Amino acid sequence: MTIAALIVAAGRGHRAGRPGPKQWQPLGGRRVIDWTLDAFRATPLIDRILVVLHPDDLGLLPPCDRIEITTGGDTRAGSVRNGLEYLAANGSDVSHVLIHDVARCCVRPAHITEIIARLHSGETPSVAPALAVTDALWIGEDGQVVGTQDRNGLYRAQTPQAFDFAAILAAHRAHPGGAADDVEVARAAGLGVSILKGDETNLKITHPDDFARAEKIMRDQMDIRIGSGYDVHRFGAGNHVMLCGVAVPHERGLQGHSDADVGMHALTDAIYGGLAMGDIGRHFPPTDPQWKGAESHIFLRHSVSLATEHGFKINNIDVTLICERPKITPHSAAMQAALAEITGVAIDRISVKATTSERLGFTGREEGIAAQAAVTLVKTCA
């Protein structure tokens, strides 16, 4: 199977009670859409991720890290159709598609995997999660109960809803429009849909109170760790210093077993620390001659790969360089860009700043440079 995830994110979300579409609203320090995409990125069985955006929002999510972008239609069904047509025109190898509402940002990777496993079993070409209705149902009119509804056999639909790609594409092409979801489109085309037990935490943000509920679910599901690092290197002969991946001109260099990039070393140790996996010396012993003069991005890439292997995403990076000279500010943007390239963290989540020690201590006497770093690691629990 080649499986694509189609994330519908072109809606305006007027009922959410906040200015602007709900998918771009902050939630737990990030945007709603970021949490949704992370859940699918963390599912290895997903081969492609396509996000369907409103034309006005295209600049808010540049294509990157397995993410493809296309534009939506005037309705949800129109947006899904546009996404399916994009996949058909840009890679005919897709065999199955998972269609998901971006506002269901609490979806768990384990639940996505369970849906895909049902597809792999061959029991059904289509599967959708849902929860059986357990509450009594009333019919209301003008604020009064005017009747009741039998709840037997009723379910609350969720997403992602998974389908044979060719079948759901044909179903959308044939449908006149106005369907509540893709299961309705599938059934109109005569496709059978198997019900998989849903997840109570798979909340869809619709109303203002849902943001607080979603944030609580996120906190309950997340493993959040903070790591800190500190490093020092003395000045020696040279005509530049390596700081956060940038060669900064200076009348002296920094001494060390590797290239002595004090900022990158502090950051690497912060990541190792957040993972409770020691420091650079444990993974790259200074007694080992193969690391003599090594470029420090080797160490940083290793710490990032360990974080990924253990299911953690680096949420943000903060590096402080402590020195009298050279001046850091003219180079800080280049340092941010270098760290972003190595770690995969967005530039707007990376801070590189500098301070002096007011001429006190070894940094004040310009004997060397020190660096402190802090990172936040986040893992969404299965």
Coordinates of all heavy atoms in Angstrom, one line a residue, residues 6-37:
L6 N -4.7 13.2 3.5 CA -5.3 14.5 3.0 C -5.9 15.3 4.1 O -6.9 14.8 4.7 CB -6.3 14.1 1.9 CG -6.8 15.2 1.0 CD1 -7.5 14.6 -0.2 CD2 -7.7 16.3 1.6
I7 N -5.2 16.4 4.5 CA -5.7 17.2 5.6 C -6.5 18.4 5.1 O -5.9 19.2 4.4 CB -4.5 17.7 6.4 CG1 -3.5 16.6 6.7 CG2 -4.9 18.4 7.7 CD1 -4.0 15.4 7.5
V8 N -7.8 18.4 5.4 CA -8.6 19.5 5.0 C -8.5 20.7 5.9 O -8.9 20.6 7.1 CB -10.1 19.0 4.9 CG1 -11.0 20.0 4.3 CG2 -10.2 17.7 4.2
A9 N -7.9 21.8 5.4 CA -7.6 22.9 6.2 C -8.0 24.2 5.5 O -7.3 25.3 5.7 CB -6.2 22.9 6.6
A10 N -9.0 24.2 4.7 CA -9.4 25.4 3.9 C -10.6 26.2 4.5 O -10.9 27.3 4.0 CB -9.7 25.1 2.5
G11 N -11.1 25.7 5.6 CA -12.3 26.3 6.2 C -12.0 27.6 6.9 O -10.9 27.9 7.2
R12 N -13.1 28.3 7.2 CA -12.9 29.6 7.9 C -13.2 29.5 9.4 O -12.8 30.4 10.2 CB -13.8 30.7 7.3 CG -13.5 30.9 5.8 CD -12.2 31.5 5.5 NE -11.1 30.6 5.5 CZ -9.8 30.9 5.4 NH1 -9.4 32.1 5.4 NH2 -8.9 29.9 5.3
G13 N -13.9 28.5 9.8 CA -14.2 28.2 11.3 C -14.8 29.4 12.0 O -14.4 29.7 13.1
H14 N -15.9 29.9 11.5 CA -16.6 31.1 12.1 C -17.2 30.8 13.5 O -17.3 31.7 14.4 CB -17.7 31.6 11.2 CG -17.2 32.1 9.9 ND1 -16.3 33.1 9.8 CD2 -17.4 31.6 8.6 CE1 -16.0 33.3 8.5 NE2 -16.7 32.4 7.8
R15 N -17.5 29.5 13.8 CA -18.1 29.2 15.1 C -17.1 29.1 16.2 O -17.5 29.0 17.4 CB -18.9 27.8 15.0 CG -20.1 27.9 14.2 CD -20.8 26.5 14.1 NE -19.9 25.6 13.3 CZ -20.2 24.3 13.2 NH1 -21.2 23.7 13.8 NH2 -19.4 23.5 12.4
A16 N -15.8 29.1 15.9 CA -14.8 29.0 16.9 C -14.6 30.2 17.8 O -14.0 30.1 18.9 CB -13.4 28.6 16.3
G17 N -15.2 31.3 17.4 CA -15.2 32.5 18.3 C -13.9 33.2 18.4 O -13.7 34.0 19.3
R18 N -13.0 33.0 17.5 CA -11.7 33.7 17.5 C -11.5 34.4 16.1 O -12.0 33.9 15.1 CB -10.6 32.8 17.8 CG -10.6 32.2 19.2 CD -9.3 31.5 19.5 NE -9.3 31.0 20.8 CZ -8.2 30.4 21.4 NH1 -7.1 30.2 20.7 NH2 -8.3 29.9 22.6
P19 N -10.8 35.5 16.1 CA -10.5 36.2 14.8 C -9.6 35.3 13.9 O -8.6 34.9 14.4 CB -9.8 37.5 15.2 CG -9.2 37.2 16.6 CD -10.2 36.2 17.2
G20 N -10.1 35.0 12.8 CA -9.3 34.2 11.8 C -9.7 32.7 12.0 O -10.3 32.3 13.0
P21 N -9.3 31.9 11.0 CA -9.6 30.5 10.9 C -9.0 29.8 12.1 O -7.9 30.1 12.5 CB -9.0 30.0 9.6 CG -9.0 31.3 8.8 CD -8.7 32.4 9.7
K22 N -9.7 28.8 12.6 CA -9.3 28.1 13.8 C -8.0 27.3 13.7 O -7.2 27.1 14.6 CB -10.4 27.1 14.3 CG -10.8 26.1 13.3 CD -12.1 25.4 13.8 CE -12.7 24.5 12.7 NZ -14.0 24.0 13.1
Q23 N -7.7 26.8 12.4 CA -6.5 26.0 12.2 C -5.2 26.8 12.5 O -4.1 26.2 12.7 CB -6.4 25.4 10.9 CG -6.5 26.4 9.7 CD -7.9 26.6 9.2 OE1 -8.8 26.6 10.0 NE2 -8.1 26.7 7.9
W24 N -5.3 28.2 12.4 CA -4.1 29.0 12.6 C -4.0 29.6 14.0 O -3.1 30.3 14.4 CB -4.1 30.1 11.6 CG -4.2 29.6 10.2 CD1 -5.3 29.8 9.4 CD2 -3.3 28.8 9.5 NE1 -5.1 29.2 8.2 CE2 -3.9 28.6 8.2 CE3 -2.0 28.3 9.7 CZ2 -3.3 27.8 7.2 CZ3 -1.4 27.5 8.7 CH2 -2.0 27.3 7.5
Q25 N -5.0 29.2 14.9 CA -5.0 29.8 16.2 C -4.0 29.1 17.1 O -3.7 27.9 17.0 CB -6.4 29.6 16.8 CG -7.5 30.3 16.1 CD -7.3 31.8 16.0 OE1 -6.9 32.4 17.1 NE2 -7.4 32.4 14.9
P26 N -3.5 29.8 18.1 CA -2.5 29.2 19.1 C -3.2 28.1 20.0 O -4.3 28.3 20.4 CB -2.0 30.4 19.9 CG -3.1 31.4 19.8 CD -3.7 31.2 18.4
L27 N -2.4 27.1 20.2 CA -2.9 26.0 21.1 C -1.7 25.4 21.8 O -0.9 24.8 21.1 CB -3.7 25.0 20.3 CG -4.2 23.8 21.2 CD1 -5.4 24.3 22.1 CD2 -4.7 22.7 20.3
G28 N -1.5 25.6 23.1 CA -0.4 25.0 23.8 C 1.0 25.5 23.2 O 1.9 24.7 23.1
G29 N 1.0 26.7 22.8 CA 2.3 27.3 22.3 C 2.6 27.1 20.9 O 3.6 27.5 20.3
R30 N 1.7 26.4 20.2 CA 1.8 26.2 18.7 C 0.5 26.4 18.1 O -0.5 26.7 18.7 CB 2.3 24.8 18.5 CG 3.5 24.4 19.2 CD 4.0 23.0 18.9 NE 4.5 22.9 17.6 CZ 4.6 21.8 16.9 NH1 4.2 20.6 17.5 NH2 5.0 21.8 15.6
R31 N 0.4 26.2 16.8 CA -0.9 26.4 16.1 C -1.6 25.1 16.0 O -1.0 24.0 16.0 CB -0.6 26.9 14.6 CG 0.1 28.3 14.6 CD 0.4 28.7 13.2 NE 1.2 27.7 12.5 CZ 1.7 27.8 11.2 NH1 1.4 28.9 10.6 NH2 2.4 26.9 10.6
V32 N -2.9 25.2 15.9 CA -3.7 24.0 15.8 C -3.2 23.1 14.7 O -3.0 21.8 14.8 CB -5.2 24.3 15.5 CG1 -6.0 23.1 15.2 CG2 -5.8 25.0 16.8
I33 N -3.0 23.6 13.5 CA -2.5 22.8 12.3 C -1.2 22.1 12.6 O -1.0 21.0 12.1 CB -2.5 23.7 11.1 CG1 -2.3 22.8 9.8 CG2 -1.3 24.7 11.2 CD1 -2.5 23.6 8.5
D34 N -0.3 22.7 13.4 CA 1.0 22.1 13.7 C 0.8 20.8 14.4 O 1.5 19.8 14.2 CB 1.9 23.1 14.4 CG 2.2 24.3 13.6 OD1 2.3 24.3 12.4 OD2 2.3 25.4 14.3
W35 N -0.1 20.8 15.4 CA -0.3 19.6 16.2 C -0.9 18.5 15.3 O -0.5 17.3 15.3 CB -1.3 19.8 17.3 CG -0.8 20.7 18.4 CD1 -1.2 22.0 18.7 CD2 0.3 20.4 19.3 NE1 -0.5 22.5 19.7 CE2 0.5 21.6 20.1 CE3 1.1 19.3 19.5 CZ2 1.4 21.6 21.1 CZ3 2.1 19.4 20.5 CH2 2.2 20.5 21.3
T36 N -1.8 18.8 14.4 CA -2.4 17.9 13.5 C -1.4 17.2 12.6 O -1.3 16.0 12.4 CB -3.5 18.5 12.7 OG1 -4.5 19.1 13.5 CG2 -4.2 17.5 11.8
L37 N -0.6 18.1 12.0 CA 0.5 17.6 11.1 C 1.5 16.7 11.8 O 1.9 15.7 11.2 CB 1.1 18.8 10.4 CG 0.3 19.6 9.4 CD1 1.0 20.7 8.8 CD2 -0.3 18.7 8.3

